[in-house]
Amino acid sequence: LLSDTLGLSMLTIAMNNKKPEGCTEATVMGPFYLEGAPDYENGDDVAHGAPGRPCQVRGTVRGIDGKPVANARIEVWRADADGKYDVQYKDLEEHRGRGVLHARADGTFDFKTIVAESYPIPTDGPVGEMLRASNNHPWRPAHLHFMISAEGYEKLNTHVFRRGDPYLDSDAVFGVRRSLVADWTLQADGNYSVEFDFVLNPYRDWE
């Protein structure tokens, strides 16, 4: 978390993610990733009881050549409407707001979750002291985490940010990339939807 708030995490990512133009940009993993997230099928509700406004997420995983990446492993996690990840609740017996699914043969995927909301990073330790001393806020703009991997391609760790969030220009961990901002659109039924396509980079195609 300290590395994130100093900008060192994003500096390292920028230095080690040389990609052709058109590939989806990487950003910070953050401190709330966990291995062993539950498996879901396309169309399932990954929120699994997390509080928030319902949202449908759709997209496609492709290579830089435009071809779909079949069966790409898509891991997602996100904070709830109260700005907390499941691991921040001591009494939860099951994961909420995180899971693993796979793209279809044509590279498409979809799942249900909740609308992304902005939230403050933890400030109860030295990171909080540093932010207060430097007169900086602890807020992260609303986002959904994605980690996408497939045979023959570089692993992608990124976010999709919610357009219009007031903290897009002042992310506490410097993680925002304009190419990763998308619209969360209100539907006629009162739910939201967001669509985002990911472009993966094949190994060593830029060397």
Side-chain angles (χ1 to χ4, degrees):
L1 186 59
L2 180 61
S3 176
D4 288 351
T5 54
L6 289 173
L8 296 177
S9 297
M10 274 309 305
L11 177 61
T12 301
I13 290 168
M15 293 173 63
N16 290 282
N17 278 267
K18 184 179 179 182
K19 297 178 182 180
E21 184 177 356
C23 288
T24 302
E25 293 186 271
T27 189
V28 295
M29 179 179 290
F32 299 114
Y33 170 75
L34 278 182
E35 294 185 355
D39 292 319
Y40 288 96
E41 298 294 329
N42 280 286
D44 284 349
D45 183 6
V46 177
H48 195 59
R53 293 173 289 176
C55 181
Q56 181 82 29
V57 181
R58 300 182 181 90
T60 303
V61 183
R62 299 187 179 92
I64 190 65
D65 58 1
K67 295 180 180 178
V69 180
N71 203 43
R73 185 180 190 271
I74 305 167
E75 188 160 1
V76 297
W77 67 102
R78 45 89 36 71
D80 61 24
D82 296 321
K84 293 184 178 181
Y85 290 79
D86 54 357
V87 294
Q88 294 178 280
Y89 292 97
K90 296 181 180 179
D91 57 347
L92 284 184
E93 296 182 356
E94 296 181 305
H95 289 302
R96 295 193 317 195
R98 71 175 71 235
V100 178
L101 60 152
H102 291 81
R104 301 180 181 92
D106 63 355
T108 62
F109 66 89
D110 68 273
F111 60 92
K112 299 180 181 71
T113 183
I114 51 178
V115 176
E117 306 284 359
S118 52
Y119 64 87
I121 60 174
T123 58
D124 55 351
V127 167
E129 294 179 11
M130 181 196 70
L131 291 173
R132 288 186 288 273
S134 58
N135 199 31
N136 287 321
H137 70 72
W139 286 85
R140 293 221 64 202
H143 61 276
L144 177 59
H145 291 263
F146 283 85
M147 182 184 293
I148 303 176
S149 56
E151 184 177 357
Y153 294 88
E154 294 178 1
K155 180 182 289 187
L156 173 66
N157 182 37
T158 194
H159 302 355
V160 176
F161 294 92
R162 185 180 174 189
R163 195 182 310 279
D165 189 281
Y167 299 105
L168 284 174
D169 292 326
S170 59
D171 183 5
V173 304
F174 307 95
V176 176
R177 294 293 176 266
R178 289 294 168 184
S179 65
L180 303 178
V181 178
D183 294 308
W184 262 253
T185 306
L186 181 63
Q187 304 299 304
D189 61 2
N191 295 335
Y192 283 76
S193 69
V194 59
E195 297 188 15
F196 198 88
D197 294 339
F198 298 91
V199 179
L200 304 185
N201 185 34
Y203 286 125
R204 296 186 297 276
D205 69 343
W206 46 265
E207 292 182 343

